[in-house]
């Protein structure tokens, strides 16, 4: 028999070949077909400037598993790919490139700068899509979209105008989150918070009529006091009851400001009196509206102080803070300075500290939209997996604030609003205007700002399918089936997509949301460029240098299988490169098993002989059990349960047991050999189909080779395993009795093997066994399959009976209520073996004493790195287990164990 598979499995030799085959044959493509059940997923569009990181690898592997599984189940499955223009992120990257040439975007001008970004987009878009293909992503690439392509731009325009016409988009002067580095507004959900060790400055504000008296206020941002227009106290605070209405003089500036009552003030914070800066604090802004206070802006957009800051005009905000505090000290207006730890908002892109800033911006009214989204979750139309995220999601919806959607950038969807310089009208039309709709003046200009990136992303589930046009794709694939995403964008993206889908399409955008964990490094830290602890998935797939270390290249299948096996129902994943050995070893195991099967297979024809032997009945029953387990796990998004079930069945039941059991049958002729071959082909085919969504490349290679040898694989005769049917459970082949009996027989074989191992008896040496059963029924079951046990345990003889006595000089293993005895006389030199074990016991006891000494040393435990201490604790547990086993074996030899 010629061997059709190479001796060693090499991912590089097959992955590119099969991906090209799938693409060229259009196997990823889907067309609307009302006659077939539909399943659709839209990809969370990666940033066009990005590179594939491990979070992408996990996210897209999960989506690919689902889409390949549903294809095999007969669904008309669409996985819609695309990329996001990522406004602020992309503009920042391109501006940094320009800075290397000592240029700014203003040197180029808006039009030229945007052209530069489009060029950048074209280059990096190709990189991210090629990386997704390396991973094995079976997206319908013929339908790929980009958030700024012509169709999606039309969708953004229509959505904006519709929301505006319904009164859900408005423009107003409000406090927003401002990034001085990026020079743009940010939504609340685009902020990252960090604890800062700062100070709380207690500052004296003198009374106008009695300058020797004062009210003390506390602040963490003294530079903003230059914009104060009042001091507020709680009206129920008895300390200040008689001071309400009195005038104070703002230190340094000299402005007269009133003491006002407001219920918002917490009497327990600081001194109970708070400075009110309506232009630089969101709460103060609201207080200012209630009391009609002046709004004094004291900062420029770049974080420097402006002319309203007086002598501090032009200084950086932190430089101003330091100098202002010094001036207040000199004037004896600092009452106290205390250390103060507080949470400070940072820009999610450049990580600069955010300034609350009064600015003209565009907003979406969120409360009316959120009400529909809340109801959709309450009535079960939208379900989150794992369920624990539902509370987090609902809490955000119930407390949602209006969304600032304007960004002071050049890259993005420009806001479709025009202003008339003659009559002051604001026009929001569906097509670009040439004149004012109110006064017909030609003197109109478009808003300079662009929309938040997430505005276009929130339309993604239906805009990618052709909306605002009513397309066949929209009718067929919307609502989509599931969204797979990371917990970090539940608010930024998931909730808003639900809102927009319900508002615009009057339907939910997806029925299920699966939220997977975050990939962390092996120490549990989030992967980031600053820490340099990221793992490049492409290097893990292809091989190469990552973080200064050479990696062999595990292949896409190994990376995928390892990631999914580590992912426990949405929990975070601690990852190191060595974890990919798990998937690589499994791919090698499957390769070697398939190679053995093919080497021992004639070209099969006709029906397989009926499964008569215990092993045949057992393996077929186990296959159906595993089909049931994997299908249920995938239905419930328990991906690692699915991989665990396949792994255990393929590695242990099939490779370790069944293949070994049937080897003698392959050397015989007639139905004995043919039956074994049919069964091997049938079970291998089932394993490959179950495994395909997780490890698409190696399963395609092995399935194609099996198909050549085994002919038509029931019930399919198709070009690719991708199109093969998902295995179904056949009730007639489920055999609980065979599974139970086989489990018992395997336990007895393992018992004999354990005795061989612990008593140092060679595997090839024939031994006898005495099996004591608890009752006649059990004894009969064992007697019926005694030949099987003798063959697998290499026994020359096996006595089976009820309540048999333990023979002299024998070792024992207990299997439930059964005892397995193996007489050792003549097999080992008892005294030599006792000497060997005694020596081992002494050696382990010495090692144990050393480890115990370290762990009882308080200096070591408190000062050594945590991972070193844990390693010693693990070593202690390992040595204790070894010592326990050695002592039990020694006791066996002395006849002390009954």
């Amino acid at each position: 028999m010629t061997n059709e598979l190479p001796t060693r499995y090499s991912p590089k030799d097959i992955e590119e070949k099969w991906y090209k085959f799938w693409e060229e044959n259009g196997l990823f493509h889907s067309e609307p077909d009302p006659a077939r059940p539909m399943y659709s997923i839209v990809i969370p569009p990666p940033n066009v400037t990005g590179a594939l990181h491990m979070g992408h690898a996990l996210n897209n592997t999960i989506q690919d598993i689902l889409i390949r599984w549903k294809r095999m189940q007969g669904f008309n499955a669409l996985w819609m790919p695309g990329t996001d223009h990522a406004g602020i992120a992309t503009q920042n990257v391109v501006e940094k490139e320009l800075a290397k040439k000592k240029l700014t975007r203003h040197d180029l001008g808006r039009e030229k700068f945007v052209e530069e970004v489009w060029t950048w987009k074209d280059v990096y878009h190709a990189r991210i899509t090629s990386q997704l293909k390396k991973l094995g992503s079976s997206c319908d690439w013929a339908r790929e979209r980009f958030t700024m392509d012509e169709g999606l731009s039309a969708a953004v325009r229509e959505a904006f105008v519709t929301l505006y016409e319904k009164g859900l988009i408005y423009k107003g002067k409000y406090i927003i989150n401002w990034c001085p580095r990026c020079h743009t507004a940010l939504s609340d959900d685009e902020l990252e918070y960090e604890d800062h060790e700062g100070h709380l400055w207690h500052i004296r504000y003198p009374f106008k009529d009695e300058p020797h008296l004062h009210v003390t206020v506390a602040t963490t941002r003294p530079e903003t006091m230059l914009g104060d227009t009042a001091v507020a106290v709680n009206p129920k605070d008895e300390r200040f009851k008689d001071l309400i209405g009195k005038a104070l003089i703002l230190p340094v500036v000299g402005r007269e400001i009133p003491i006002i009552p407001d219920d918002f003030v917490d009497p327990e914070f600081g001194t109970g009196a708070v400075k009110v800066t309506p232009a630089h604090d969101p709460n103060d802004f609201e207080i200012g509206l209630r009391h009609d206070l002046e709004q004094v802006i004291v900062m420029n957009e770049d974080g420097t102080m402006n002319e309203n800051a007086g002598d501090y005009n032009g200084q950086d905000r932190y430089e101003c803070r330091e100098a202002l505090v010094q001036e207040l000290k000199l004037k004896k207006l600092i009452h106290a300075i205390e250390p103060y730890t507080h949470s400070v908002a940072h820009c999610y892109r450049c990580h600069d500290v955010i300034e609350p800033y009064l600015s003209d911006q565009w907003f979406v009214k969120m409360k009316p939209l959120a009400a529909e989204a809340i109801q959709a979750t309450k009535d079960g139309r939208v379900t989150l997996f794992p369920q624990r995220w539902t509370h987090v999601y609902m809490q955000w919806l119930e407390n949602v604030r209006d969304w600032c959607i304007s960004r002071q950038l050049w890259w993005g969807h420009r806001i479709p609003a025009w202003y008339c310089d003659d009559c002051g009208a604001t026009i929001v039309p569906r097509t670009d205007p040439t004149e004012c709709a109110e006064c017909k003046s030609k003197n109109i200009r478009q808003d300079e700002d662009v929309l938040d990136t997430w505005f276009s992303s929130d339309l993604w589930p239906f805009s990618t399918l052709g909306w605002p046009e009513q397309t066949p794709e929209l009718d067929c694939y919307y609502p989509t089936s599931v969204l797979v995403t990371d917990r970090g964008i539940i608010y930024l993206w998931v909730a808003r997509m639900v809102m927009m889908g319900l508002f615009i399409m009057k339907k939910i955008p997806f029925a299920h949301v699966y939220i997977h964990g975050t990939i962390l490094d092996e120490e549990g830290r989030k992967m980031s460029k600053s820490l340099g602890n990221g793992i490049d998935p492409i290097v893990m797939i292809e091989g190469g240098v990552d973080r200064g270390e050479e990696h062999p290249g595990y292949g896409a299948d190994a990376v995928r299988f390892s990631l999914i096996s580590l992912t426990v129902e949405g929990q975070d994943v601690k990852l190191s490169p060595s974890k990919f050995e798990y998937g690589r070893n499994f791919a090698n195991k499957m390769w070697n098993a398939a190679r053995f099967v093919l080497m021992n297979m004639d070209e099969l024809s006709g029906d397989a002989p009926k499964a008569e032997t215990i092993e045949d009945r057992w393996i077929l029953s186990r296959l159906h059990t595993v089909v049931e387990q994997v299908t249920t796990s995938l239905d419930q998004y328990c991906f690692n349960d699915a991989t665990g079930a396949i792994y255990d069945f393929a590695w242990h039941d099939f490779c370790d047991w069944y293949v070994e059991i049937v080897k003698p049958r392959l050397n015989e002729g007639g139905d004995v050999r043919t039956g074994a071959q049919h069964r091997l082909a049938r079970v291998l085919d089932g394993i490959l189909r179950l495994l395909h969504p997780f490890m698409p490349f190696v399963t395609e290679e092995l399935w194609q080779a099996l198909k050549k040898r085994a002919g038509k694989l029931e019930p399919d005769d198709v070009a690719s395993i991708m199109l093969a049917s998902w295995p179904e459970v056949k009730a007639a082949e489920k055999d609980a009795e065979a599974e139970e009996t086989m489990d018992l027989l395997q336990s007895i074989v393992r018992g004999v093997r354990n005795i061989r191992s612990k008593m140092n008896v060679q595997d090839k040496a024939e031994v006898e066994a005495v099996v004591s059963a608890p009752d006649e029924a059990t004894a009969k079951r064992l007697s019926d399959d005694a030949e099987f046990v003798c063959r697998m345990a290499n026994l020359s003889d096996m006595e089976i009976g009820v309540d048999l006595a333990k023979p002299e000089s024998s070792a024992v293993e207990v299997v439930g209520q059964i005892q397995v005895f193996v007489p050792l006389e003549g097999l080992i030199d008892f005294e030599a073996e006792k000497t060997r074990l005694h020596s081992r016991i002494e050696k382990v006891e010495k090692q144990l004493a050393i480890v115990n000494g370290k762990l009882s040393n308080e200096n070591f435990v408190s000062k050594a790195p945590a991972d070193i201490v844990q390693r010693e604790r693990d070593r202690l547990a390992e040595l204790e287990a070894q010592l326990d086993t050695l002592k039990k074996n020694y006791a066996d030899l002395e006849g002390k164990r009954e």
Side-chain angles (χ1 to χ4, degrees):
M1 180 71 62
T2 58
N3 178 20
E4 296 183 12
L5 290 176
T7 307
R8 297 189 62 178
Y9 167 54
S10 171
K12 289 180 181 178
D13 294 339
I14 68 166
E15 291 183 352
E16 189 174 342
K17 172 184 76 173
W18 285 118
Y19 200 91
K20 185 180 179 184
F21 172 82
W22 296 328
E23 274 204 289
E24 287 179 350
N25 286 275
L27 301 187
F28 302 157
H29 188 59
S30 173
E31 283 292 335
D33 182 357
R36 294 172 62 198
M38 182 281 298
Y39 189 86
S40 61
I41 299 176
V42 290
I43 196 171
N47 290 355
V48 72
T49 57
L52 203 68
H53 56 62
M54 274 299 166
H56 289 126
L58 174 61
N59 179 271
N60 287 285
T61 295
I62 291 170
Q63 292 175 84
D64 197 45
I65 288 166
L66 291 171
I67 215 78
R68 287 178 185 270
W69 170 50
K70 288 296 178 180
R71 277 198 201 102
M72 296 177 77
Q73 283 192 319
F75 284 78
N76 183 16
L78 168 69
W79 185 9
M80 175 69 75
T83 48
D84 194 298
H85 68 280
I88 189 171
T90 306
Q91 179 157 320
N92 273 347
V93 169
V94 176
E95 285 197 72
K96 285 177 182 175
E97 288 300 307
L98 288 175
K100 293 175 184 176
K101 304 173 188 175
K102 302 198 182 313
L103 291 172
T104 69
R105 62 183 164 119
H106 301 286
D107 294 327
L108 272 66
R110 185 168 193 149
E111 189 176 336
K112 287 286 186 188
F113 177 76
V114 170
E115 285 177 12
E116 190 81 15
V117 183
W118 273 105
T119 302
W120 183 271
K121 172 259 171 191
D122 291 339
V123 172
Y124 284 88
H125 161 263
R127 180 177 72 170
I128 196 83
T129 53
S130 73
Q131 290 176 332
L132 285 169
K133 291 178 181 182
K134 287 280 184 193
L135 190 65
S137 304
S138 59
C139 300
D140 190 344
W141 294 108
R143 297 187 179 279
E144 186 180 5
R145 303 304 300 267
F146 177 56
T147 51
M148 281 180 65
D149 69 28
E150 188 176 339
L152 267 67
S153 295
V156 168
R157 180 74 165 262
E158 179 62 28
F160 186 96
V161 174
T162 302
L163 287 161
Y164 182 79
E165 290 174 345
K166 297 287 186 182
L168 292 171
I169 281 183
Y170 64 94
K171 189 175 186 181
K173 190 180 277 289
Y174 291 92
I175 289 283
I176 48 87
N177 306 301
W178 184 262
C179 176
R181 159 64 185 81
C182 298
H183 292 194
T184 187
L186 297 171
S187 71
D188 292 342
D189 306 306
E190 291 174 304
L191 308 182
E192 293 180 350
Y193 286 86
E194 295 177 15
D195 284 343
H196 280 210
E197 300 291 333
H199 295 90
L200 194 61
W201 284 272
H202 295 256
I203 305 171
R204 299 184 178 110
Y205 283 32
F207 283 94
K208 176 187 174 185
D209 297 330
E210 299 176 274
H212 59 288
L213 299 176
H214 57 264
V215 169
T216 300
V217 301
T219 180
T220 59
R221 297 160 65 218
E223 66 279 7
T224 62
M225 68 174 284
L226 302 172
D228 286 0
T229 52
V231 166
V233 296
N234 192 295
K236 298 185 182 71
D237 192 333
E238 292 294 330
R239 294 173 296 174
F240 301 104
K241 194 172 182 181
D242 297 332
L243 301 179
I244 293 171
K246 289 187 177 293
L248 300 169
I249 298 299
L250 182 62
V252 179
V253 178
R255 182 164 56 243
E256 184 179 323
I257 58 174
I259 297 176
I260 59 172
D262 199 279
D263 290 326
F264 175 78
V265 178
D266 178 4
E268 301 299 319
F269 177 78
T271 64
V274 299
K275 58 192 284 303
V276 181
T277 321
H280 292 279
D281 184 275
N283 297 317
D284 293 2
F285 174 77
E286 297 295 335
I287 293 173
L289 291 181
R290 289 195 287 271
H291 296 272
D292 196 25
L293 297 176
E294 184 184 1
Q295 298 167 337
V296 179
I297 298 173
V298 297
M299 281 188 206
N300 297 310
E301 292 182 351
D302 63 357
T304 59
M305 309 307 289
N306 66 16
E307 63 278 5
N308 291 328
D311 292 342
Y312 298 102
N313 183 13
Q315 288 188 9
D316 173 77
R317 53 184 165 162
Y318 298 120
E319 184 185 354
C320 169
R321 177 183 296 181
E322 193 172 331
L324 178 58
V325 168
Q326 288 304 315
E327 182 175 350
L328 292 169
K329 283 181 179 177
L330 288 172
K331 293 181 175 179
K332 303 194 183 308
L333 293 174
I334 294 287
H335 173 73
I337 302 173
E338 58 180 295
Y340 189 72
T341 302
H342 57 133
S343 186
V344 177
H346 292 250
C347 173
Y348 80 116
R349 278 298 166 193
C350 74
H351 306 296
D352 202 8
V353 173
I354 292 300
E355 280 295 334
Y357 197 72
L358 186 64
S359 175
D360 275 324
Q361 301 290 338
W362 288 88
F363 296 84
V364 175
K365 287 182 183 175
M366 299 294 274
K367 286 286 186 187
L369 299 172
E372 290 291 321
I374 290 168
Q375 190 56 44
T377 303
K378 284 183 176 178
D379 61 27
R381 282 175 289 156
V382 175
T383 306
L384 277 70
F385 298 85
Q387 200 170 12
R388 66 178 179 272
W389 290 110
T390 304
H391 174 70
V392 176
Y393 170 78
M394 292 290 276
Q395 195 172 41
W396 183 84
L397 285 172
E398 288 162 357
N399 295 283
V400 72
R401 294 170 55 182
D402 285 358
W403 171 23
C404 177
I405 56 170
S406 45
R407 298 289 180 271
Q408 290 63 51
L409 304 170
W410 287 354
W411 173 245
H413 296 281
R414 196 162 171 184
I415 289 175
W418 279 257
Y419 307 109
C420 178
D421 288 334
D422 289 336
C423 74
T426 298
I427 315 156
V428 180
R430 282 179 169 76
T431 57
D432 290 1
T434 57
E435 61 182 22
C436 174
E438 301 290 331
C439 71
K440 307 304 179 186
S441 167
K442 306 287 185 185
N443 194 16
I444 60 174
R445 56 189 168 79
Q446 188 177 359
D447 196 301
E448 293 289 323
D449 291 349
V450 301
L451 286 165
D452 179 5
T453 295
W454 295 102
F455 190 91
S456 54
S457 300
D458 295 343
L459 314 177
W460 189 250
F462 49 90
S463 63
T464 52
L465 297 170
W467 186 86
E469 301 299 320
Q470 195 60 40
T471 63
E473 286 79 5
L474 201 58
D475 288 338
C476 178
Y477 301 115
Y478 189 89
T480 63
S481 306
V482 63
L483 176 78
V484 178
T485 188
D486 178 84
R487 66 167 185 259
I489 52 176
I490 293 175
Y491 317 135
L492 283 168
W493 196 41
V494 179
R496 292 178 186 162
M497 275 193 288
V498 174
M499 289 187 250
M500 290 299 181
L502 288 166
F503 174 73
I504 291 173
M505 301 299 296
K506 309 305 178 191
K507 294 178 183 176
I508 55 167
F510 28 71
H512 292 171
V513 181
Y514 176 71
I515 298 163
H516 59 73
T518 300
I519 302 288
L520 309 173
D521 71 8
E522 55 196 324
E523 295 178 27
R525 301 174 301 174
K526 195 171 180 179
M527 291 185 176
S528 68
K529 286 182 182 176
S530 58
L531 289 174
N533 62 343
I535 300 173
D536 186 339
I538 301 304
V539 172
M540 296 302 109
I541 291 170
E542 295 185 328
V545 177
D546 185 40
R547 295 190 293 171
E549 291 183 22
E550 186 74 33
H551 297 279
Y554 299 97
D557 286 332
V559 168
R560 290 166 60 115
F561 193 82
S562 301
L563 279 176
I564 295 302
S565 298
L566 291 166
T567 305
V568 181
E569 202 187 357
Q571 293 181 17
D572 291 345
V573 179
K574 289 184 180 180
L575 188 67
S576 63
S578 63
K579 296 284 178 71
F580 297 116
E581 292 173 10
Y582 178 80
R584 182 191 62 190
N585 292 344
F586 187 53
N588 286 337
K589 185 76 170 180
M590 290 311 306
W591 184 270
N592 292 332
R595 186 167 174 272
F596 172 81
V597 171
L598 293 170
M599 287 173 65
N600 289 278
M601 185 172 289
D602 304 320
E603 291 191 8
L604 300 179
S605 60
D607 295 329
K610 187 179 177 183
E612 299 283 1
T613 65
I614 181 67
E615 64 262 23
D616 284 357
R617 288 164 47 217
W618 164 73
I619 198 67
L620 289 178
S621 185
R622 281 288 298 130
L623 174 61
H624 292 300
T625 299
V626 172
V627 169
E628 203 166 36
Q629 289 174 336
V630 174
T631 306
T632 300
S633 295
L634 289 176
D635 271 328
Q636 297 173 349
Y637 303 102
C638 297
F639 299 100
N640 75 307
D641 288 347
T643 57
I646 297 169
Y647 182 96
D648 287 343
F649 176 70
W651 191 300
H652 301 301
D653 291 347
F654 183 65
C655 296
D656 289 353
W657 283 96
Y658 187 73
V659 170
E660 293 302 316
I661 292 167
V662 301
K663 278 180 179 178
R665 290 166 57 185
L666 293 171
N667 295 324
E668 297 186 32
D671 283 354
V672 174
R673 175 179 171 82
T674 304
Q677 290 176 328
H678 271 283
R679 220 71 65 212
L680 285 166
R682 166 89 180 279
V683 177
L684 179 60
D685 173 55
I687 292 170
L688 294 176
R689 292 181 197 228
L690 289 174
L691 189 55
H692 175 70
F694 305 90
M695 303 181 92
F697 295 107
V698 71
T699 52
E700 184 74 86
E701 180 77 9
L702 298 178
W703 191 80
Q704 294 286 354
L706 180 63
K707 185 182 169 192
K708 283 180 187 175
R709 179 62 56 195
K712 183 176 183 292
L713 296 169
E714 294 292 347
D716 301 307
D717 186 18
V718 292
S720 167
I721 193 172
M722 272 182 63
L723 306 177
S725 62
W726 185 252
E728 293 183 358
V729 176
K730 293 184 180 178
E733 292 185 336
K734 287 275 283 179
D735 192 332
E737 183 187 353
E739 290 198 44
E740 187 181 336
T741 299
M742 192 65 175
D743 184 54
L744 182 61
L745 298 176
Q746 287 174 319
S747 296
I748 292 170
V749 172
R750 287 192 196 98
V752 175
R753 290 174 177 174
N754 286 342
I755 289 172
R756 285 180 182 275
S757 174
K758 69 184 183 182
M759 291 302 173
N760 209 22
V761 177
Q762 292 184 356
D763 292 340
K764 292 180 181 179
E766 283 194 345
V767 299
E768 296 177 358
V770 175
V771 179
S772 178
D775 52 58
E776 291 293 345
T778 305
K780 183 179 184 311
R781 284 173 69 190
L782 293 173
S783 297
D784 288 344
D785 294 293
E787 185 277 331
F788 170 87
V789 175
C790 288
R791 178 158 48 88
M792 296 305 294
N794 194 19
L795 298 176
S796 58
D797 187 35
M798 180 169 68
E799 179 187 354
I800 300 169
V802 178
D803 295 332
L804 298 178
K806 177 185 175 184
E808 274 189 48
S809 304
S810 64
V812 62
E813 277 288 321
V814 178
V815 178
Q817 293 181 291
I818 297 169
Q819 288 184 302
V820 180
F821 304 114
V822 174
L824 300 172
E825 195 70 51
L827 290 172
I828 63 172
D829 181 330
F830 281 85
E831 290 307 316
E833 185 62 15
K834 282 169 66 177
T835 302
R836 185 185 73 82
L837 285 173
H838 185 54
S839 175
R840 286 282 312 281
I841 288 168
E842 285 185 333
K843 183 178 180 182
V844 171
E845 283 176 337
K846 285 177 183 176
Q847 292 173 326
L848 203 52
I850 293 169
V851 176
N852 268 319
K854 284 184 180 178
L855 292 174
S856 61
N857 184 332
E858 199 170 320
N859 274 338
F860 172 76
V861 174
S862 61
K863 294 179 181 178
D867 60 324
I868 301 294
V869 175
Q870 187 57 48
R871 194 160 64 206
E872 291 300 322
R873 285 178 176 145
D874 293 343
R875 178 69 175 145
L876 176 68
E878 181 188 327
L879 289 169
E880 285 175 340
Q882 279 184 28
L883 186 61
D884 183 58
T885 300
L886 289 167
K887 284 184 175 180
K888 285 175 181 174
N889 292 347
Y890 190 86
D892 268 346
L893 291 177
E894 288 193 317
K896 291 178 182 176
R897 292 179 67 195
E898 296 298 325

